[in-house]
């Protein structure tokens, strides 16, 4: 499977490391071989080679901050644009790993449409396109006879969408609610230990959990983007940000945490959706609620089903290697589907 990557930050580099380290196992155990043929970035430059790019050389060049240091090779093209690279026959799949834009989803959305129209499978870690245009992307993928998968956009490598859409395929999912942002969960956990909101936020920034401008996390927008993906994927909704009620945790103080504890409750930022809509807000949960026990940067989601009742999935919600694992899982799902189709037609 020939891959083009848009973005080569922490997720892209982790994915390249996974391909490098697991190549033999994937080939022998899964019959799967992948080759990165193109990488497009905003700051490091771009590379394309139909014969494949060496992951170790990509990683070494990324360390220098510029793909100009990638070794010369036959058929190597440098600094091509996305419109040049994403073309019929240039690759088998596009991995959209660039930074998320939850206002317009651009420029990633244009690249996603270009890839589908060119007959490439689409795998995303970028939340913007699927948060804002999930139904349109899914319809265009189906029309093109390719697959669009986005496991990495919700809870990183924890298989949330796979659980809901594949393992629970015989169930009706009535609702979903979860802790979908590790930064806010870390801050609330620290406040449970006696820290102020300001001190907990400062520590989260020092550890790299929160950005210098933390508003996307603490005001609930990151969780809202993931909730849109869940709602539109699980319920066939066409919700937008304006359809959600969104608030965050910046108003919560030590006294609020203390009063909740006295009543055997705990604050969590909860994102919840059903076929009728969704919301993100800080809630006081009883200690008996499975989500109340989720601490630190861990994420969790509870799916309420008609046949199995409530099922709670707990796992990592962020991290380059974790997100890279979700990208690999999506590619393996596409690979399995292709093999099954080949077998059926034989």
């Amino acid at each position: 499977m020939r891959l083009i990557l848009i973005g080569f930050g922490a997720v892209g580099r982790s994915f390249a490391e996974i391909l490098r380290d697991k190549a033999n196992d994937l080939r022998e155990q899964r019959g799967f071989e992948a080759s990165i043929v193109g990488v497009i970035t905003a700051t490091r430059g771009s590379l394309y080679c139909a014969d494949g790019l060496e992951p170790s050389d990509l990683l070494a060049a990324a360390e220098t901050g510029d793909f100009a240091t990638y070794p010369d090779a036959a058929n190597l093209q440098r600094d091509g644009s996305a419109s040049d690279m994403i073309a019929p026959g240039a690759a088998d799949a596009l991995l959209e790993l660039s930074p998320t834009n939850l206002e317009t989803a651009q420029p990633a959305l244009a690249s996603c449409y270009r890839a589908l129209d060119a007959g490439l499978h689409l795998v995303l870690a970028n939340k913007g396109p699927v948060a804002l245009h999930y139904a349109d992307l899914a319809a265009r993928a189906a029309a093109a006879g390719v697959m669009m998968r986005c496991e990495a956009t919700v809870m990183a490598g924890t298989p949330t969408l796979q659980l809901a859409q594949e393992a629970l395929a015989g169930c009706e999912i009535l609702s979903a609610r979860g802790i979908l942002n590790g930064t806010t969960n870390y801050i609330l956990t620290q406040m449970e230990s006696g820290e102020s909101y300001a001190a907990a936020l400062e520590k989260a920034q020092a550890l790299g959990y929160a950005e210098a401008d933390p508003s996307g996390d603490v005001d609930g927008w990151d969780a809202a983007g993931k909730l849109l993906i869940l709602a539109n994927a699980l319920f066939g909704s066409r919700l937008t940000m304006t359809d959600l009620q969104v608030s965050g945790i910046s108003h919560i103080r030590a006294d609020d945490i203390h009063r909740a504890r006295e009543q055997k409750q705990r604050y969590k930022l909860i994102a919840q959706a059903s076929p009728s809509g969704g919301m993100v807000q800080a809630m006081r949960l009883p200690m008996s609620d499975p989500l109340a026990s989720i601490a630190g940067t861990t994420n969790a989601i509870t799916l309420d089903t008609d046949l199995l009742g409530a099922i709670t999935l707990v796992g990592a919600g962020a991290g380059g290697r974790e997100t890279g694992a979700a990208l690999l899982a999506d590619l393996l799902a596409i690979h399995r589907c292709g093999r099954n189709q080949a077998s059926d037609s034989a």
Side-chain angles (χ1 to χ4, degrees):
M1 189 180 292
R2 299 165 301 148
L3 313 175
I4 293 175
L5 279 56
I6 297 186
F8 205 70
V11 172
R13 294 194 300 273
S14 294
F15 176 72
E17 290 171 354
I18 290 171
L19 286 188
R20 178 195 65 194
D21 298 343
K22 296 182 72 70
N24 289 338
D25 289 344
L26 290 170
R27 182 174 55 253
E28 294 172 5
Q29 298 174 15
R30 306 283 182 178
F32 176 78
E33 293 185 74
S35 173
I36 299 173
V37 297
V39 181
I40 303 167
T41 74
T43 59
R44 293 186 173 92
S46 301
L47 298 169
Y48 179 83
C49 182
D51 300 326
L53 300 166
E54 174 56 48
S56 294
D57 290 337
L58 282 174
L59 292 163
E63 283 296 314
T64 72
D66 193 336
F67 283 147
T69 61
Y70 186 89
D72 285 326
N75 302 318
L76 178 66
Q77 302 173 34
R78 298 183 185 271
D79 296 324
S81 66
S83 58
D84 292 333
M85 279 198 218
I86 305 171
D92 300 306
L94 176 73
L95 277 62
E96 196 2 289
L97 317 178
S98 64
T100 292
N101 177 344
L102 287 175
E103 294 182 359
T104 67
Q106 295 292 7
L109 181 63
S111 296
C112 292
Y113 283 141
R114 184 179 294 112
L116 295 175
D117 291 344
L120 277 66
H121 299 292
L122 178 61
V123 177
L124 299 102
N126 184 333
K127 295 184 288 294
V130 279
L132 303 185
H133 299 279
Y134 183 94
D136 292 339
L137 287 166
R140 193 172 294 205
V146 297
M147 296 180 69
M148 187 272 289
R149 296 184 67 95
C150 54
E151 187 64 69
T153 61
V154 182
M155 289 178 61
T158 305
T160 312
L161 295 174
Q162 182 181 357
L163 171 67
Q165 295 177 315
E166 298 175 22
L168 297 178
C171 297
E172 178 184 359
I173 298 177
L174 307 174
S175 65
R177 65 186 185 95
I179 297 168
L180 303 182
N181 181 269
T183 301
T184 51
N185 203 52
Y186 174 82
I187 291 171
L188 292 173
T189 300
Q190 293 302 113
M191 292 177 72
E192 282 270 336
S193 302
E195 290 189 1
S196 67
Y197 170 82
L201 173 58
E202 184 177 356
K203 184 176 289 187
Q205 290 171 320
L207 292 170
Y209 301 151
E211 302 289 341
D213 176 5
S215 58
D217 292 318
V218 301
D219 292 340
W221 297 111
D222 175 73
K226 296 170 184 175
L227 185 66
L228 282 179
I229 297 167
L230 280 172
N232 294 334
L234 271 55
F235 306 123
S237 305
R238 283 184 173 266
L239 297 178
T240 67
M241 281 291 185
T242 58
D243 297 316
L244 302 180
Q245 300 177 47
V246 181
S247 59
I249 66 167
S250 58
H251 64 285
I252 298 175
R253 296 293 178 261
D255 288 347
D256 300 318
I257 299 289
H258 179 70
R259 283 193 293 271
R261 187 187 299 116
E262 286 182 334
Q263 297 178 32
K264 294 182 171 52
Q265 296 176 332
R266 180 170 283 150
Y267 272 98
K268 295 293 178 184
L269 183 68
I270 299 297
Q272 56 186 19
S274 69
S276 60
M279 65 188 303
V280 177
Q281 68 176 25
M283 298 181 179
R284 286 167 55 161
L285 303 181
M287 296 294 187
S288 58
D289 190 313
L291 298 180
S293 64
I294 305 303
T297 59
T298 302
N299 282 194
I301 188 167
T302 295
L303 302 175
D304 189 23
T305 72
D306 62 340
L307 299 180
L308 298 175
I311 296 175
T312 298
L313 178 66
V314 180
R321 195 161 184 82
E322 292 84 353
T323 307
L327 297 171
L328 177 59
D330 277 347
L331 291 171
L332 287 170
I334 293 170
H335 173 66
R336 287 194 301 273
C337 183
R339 293 183 70 172
N340 291 340
Q341 289 175 346
S343 176
D344 291 342
S345 62

